[in-house]
Amino acid sequence: MKNNIDIVMLGDSLTARGEWDVLLYPKKIINLGHDADTTVDILARLDLAIEVHSKCIYLMIGINDMNSYKSLDKIFENYIQILNRLKIKSTSKVFVQSVLYTQMNSFNKKVKEINIKLKEYCNDNNLTFIDLNENLSRDEVLLNIYTTDGLHLNMKAYIEWANKIRSYF
């Protein structure tokens, strides 16, 4: 079934709260971001993202896993399961987006470590890794001008994020 969907945005509240149909117009977007989602939640509803048959899937997930004290090894293992299922079952081009830094140091060390693993995995497996932190963070901390609460993003941040994604069209 072809739906002529260009992009599926897949992730947690950071993805869910983006007005992607406006930010990435005229691309046809389905936003499958959900508040509080973890890698396990993405695995549970991954078939929905696959069934859309979009041209591209942009994935960002992980901060809620860290908040629920999952080990980095478990988060990474779940990521690999997600990416393997997408490789096997989906014809979409998959883009792995960096987990975003926050303004909470307790998260940022883990964010740095998972992003290193994800970037390395993408490089080794012919996947595209998009480092959103290049635009939104300095010194491994989310910039004040891009956040509403130290974790979630404001419109300025979403515009930056969308511009970064556009460079991969």
Side-chain angles (χ1 to χ4, degrees):
M1 176 174 129
K2 279 283 185 199
N3 294 314
N4 294 320
I5 299 299
D6 296 306
I7 297 171
V8 167
M9 298 296 291
L10 188 59
D12 54 28
S13 61
L14 296 170
T15 300
R17 296 175 187 191
E19 296 178 30
W20 300 111
D21 53 338
V22 174
L23 290 164
L24 298 175
Y25 182 84
K27 298 290 185 187
K28 292 180 184 162
I29 314 286
I30 293 182
N31 187 346
L32 294 180
H34 287 259
D35 281 12
D37 260 10
T38 65
T39 53
V40 171
D41 297 315
I42 295 290
L43 279 165
R45 60 187 181 80
L46 195 55
D47 288 342
L48 181 59
I50 293 166
E51 288 169 11
V52 170
H53 298 287
S54 64
K55 293 176 185 132
C56 303
I57 295 174
Y58 287 83
L59 171 67
M60 185 210 303
I61 194 73
I63 202 73
N64 293 319
D65 292 84
M66 293 174 196
N67 195 34
S68 61
Y69 305 104
K70 280 198 186 87
S71 73
L72 286 179
D73 288 340
K74 186 60 182 168
I75 298 168
F76 185 64
E77 181 184 309
N78 290 346
Y79 246 104
I80 302 312
Q81 285 184 51
I82 293 165
L83 295 172
N84 283 340
R85 277 189 42 208
L86 288 171
K87 183 179 180 181
I88 292 166
K89 293 186 171 189
S90 175
T91 58
S92 305
K93 180 164 175 52
V94 177
F95 294 88
V96 177
Q97 302 169 106
S98 59
V99 177
L100 293 181
Y101 287 116
T102 69
Q103 292 190 331
M104 296 159 275
N105 289 331
S106 58
F107 284 113
N108 290 344
K109 183 175 188 280
K110 295 174 187 173
V111 169
K112 180 179 180 177
E113 289 179 41
I114 198 72
N115 284 333
I116 289 169
K117 288 176 173 248
L118 290 171
K119 185 175 184 177
E120 187 176 287
Y121 182 85
C122 288
N123 288 339
D124 292 346
N125 290 277
N126 201 27
L127 291 167
T128 302
F129 180 83
I130 301 174
D131 186 356
L132 298 171
N133 288 309
E134 289 176 344
N135 298 64
L136 301 176
S137 301
R138 293 291 172 272
D139 301 318
E140 300 170 7
V141 176
L142 181 63
L143 291 169
N144 280 332
I145 61 167
Y146 293 129
T147 184
T148 57
D149 60 6
L151 172 69
H152 294 97
L153 304 176
N154 61 25
M155 186 51 80
K156 278 185 192 172
Y158 284 108
I159 291 168
E160 284 289 326
W161 184 350
N163 287 337
K164 184 81 171 192
I165 287 175
R166 280 184 184 284
S167 71
Y168 290 87
F169 290 176

